[in-house]
Amino acid sequence: DIMKKQDIFSGLILFLLLIAFSLSLSAADNSVIQKRIDDINRMIEREGYHWKAGITSMSHLSEDELKNRLGYIPIPPEVKKNIPLYKLSPASTDDPIFDWREMDGTTAARDQGNCGSCWAFATVAQLEAHIRIYGGRIEDLSEQQVMDCNSYNYGCPGGTLPAAYELFESYGIVAEDSIEYLGSDGHPCTQSQYPTLARISGFTQLSNTTFHIKNALQNGPVATGMTLPPFFNDYDGGCIDIDSNNLPNHAVLIVGWNDTACGGEGAWICKNSWGTEWGIDGFFYIKYGYCRIGEGESYQIVYAPAVILTSPSEFGKKYAGDICKISWTTDDEDSDLIHILLRDKNDALFLYTIADDTTGINSIEWRFPYYKTSGAYFQISVETPNFIETVSTEPFELSIRDILINNTPNPFSANTTISYSISEASRVTLEIFTPRGGLVKRIIRDDTSPGKHTFNWDGTNNSGRFVVPGFYLCRVKTGSFEGTKKIIYLK
């Protein structure tokens, strides 16, 4: 016991010494960083710059670690010339300050980690902003999906902004909760397993002038490339007006402007992807034209309002003839046309139109048709003059019950129609008898397909004679089912 106590005591002393050593190293590191910050601030004051340095969450990064966060790749000139130019709107750019943060038009800054995924973060932040502005929804979308599923194998080593836009346009984007950010490459693309929350119908490139960017900003934030300024990891506020002419290497989101910043020479308000413990809650100001911001590429997107299923969240197994209700919402309050189809992933020929060219609704009820499949799904399309958005449910099983459905007496016809459904092709025996049990007629049929079937009884018995009008019973028997129902024979 004494030896055990001595071992425990020795271990505790060693643990405390390690903590003390770690704290002393941390204090020494902070002392070195603080000295650097003080030197930078003295330089800022001496040169008359309009920003300040401080210890941020990025101040401890080495030069190589900082480079790992730079992943903007310019697109080749031959590709850029094929991207349409932004068309100026009649919006005025006279306001001295325009800031989407003040109009609930942005989401919080996020941290890309030790990965050059700034290109994915800038474009995803742009789409999140447009969803909030035009759809009134606050969404946290998946940057990892952009890295895993883009067509060019871009990832932590870097990527282009159009690579993300092409994904937004062709497929759309899923939630962060669906494909969580890992900050690394080599993961499979799993986007098909999750619902799409948003997409765009196009993107355009801007001319590198303050007027053009301001004009486009009034339609929503603009993604752009820039050159990392000196001491950017230590930025703690103010307007960056220290320049760099290196090639653009970082992607950010412009969310507004302030003509009074930088001593009245004006600045862009930008969102970075280094977390909220850097800069001004993750945002920064940079003087117009400095660090080549906007010089290489700037893009505006055309947001396509989403269609979102609100119920049911999942279908499970459904049966032919059952009533089903499906509801949805769309960001576009002026939706022109609604198209709803029931389709079959296992049989491309099956197509059941539920609603077509319908307007002004957001839910509908109907009965499932008599069809059997394990791959049924609903497809809802909303069409406006500017876009067509389609959303589909997850596949579900549609089955058919063995059941005697009803009979249809007709006083104007000698026939009574008897309806029934079967789940599998089988031999079916129909028996009509009196309430006292006397057999009137027996019919044996080989129904070769599952689904709904009918039999027209002409009112005769097995001998071909007509029976008297009134109530009778009908029994349907298959290999695995037997059902009886009252029927009416009128004549």
Side-chain angles (χ1 to χ4, degrees), residues 10-26:
S10 299
L12 180 61
I13 293 296
L14 179 61
F15 176 71
L16 293 174
L17 287 173
L18 287 172
I19 291 178
F21 181 69
S22 175
L23 290 174
S24 66
L25 285 178
S26 178

Side-chain angles (χ1 to χ4, degrees), residues 116-125 143-144 146-147 159-161 164 168 251:
S117 53
C118 57
W119 60 279
F121 276 78
T123 50
V124 167
E143 293 87 4
Q144 190 68 43
V146 178
M147 296 172 62
T160 67
L161 304 183
F168 299 161

Side-chain angles (χ1 to χ4, degrees), residues 15 27 127 166 178 264 277 315 329 339 344 409 460 464 485:
F15 176 71
L127 184 49
E166 289 177 14
S178 298
E277 300 301 314
F315 282 92
T329 62
H339 312 277
D344 185 357
T460 63
K485 232 177 186 181

Side-chain angles (χ1 to χ4, degrees), residues 387-398:
F387 81 105
I388 298 177
E389 173 68 4
T390 300
V391 63
S392 299
T393 65
E394 291 298 313
F396 60 93
E397 181 179 356
L398 178 59

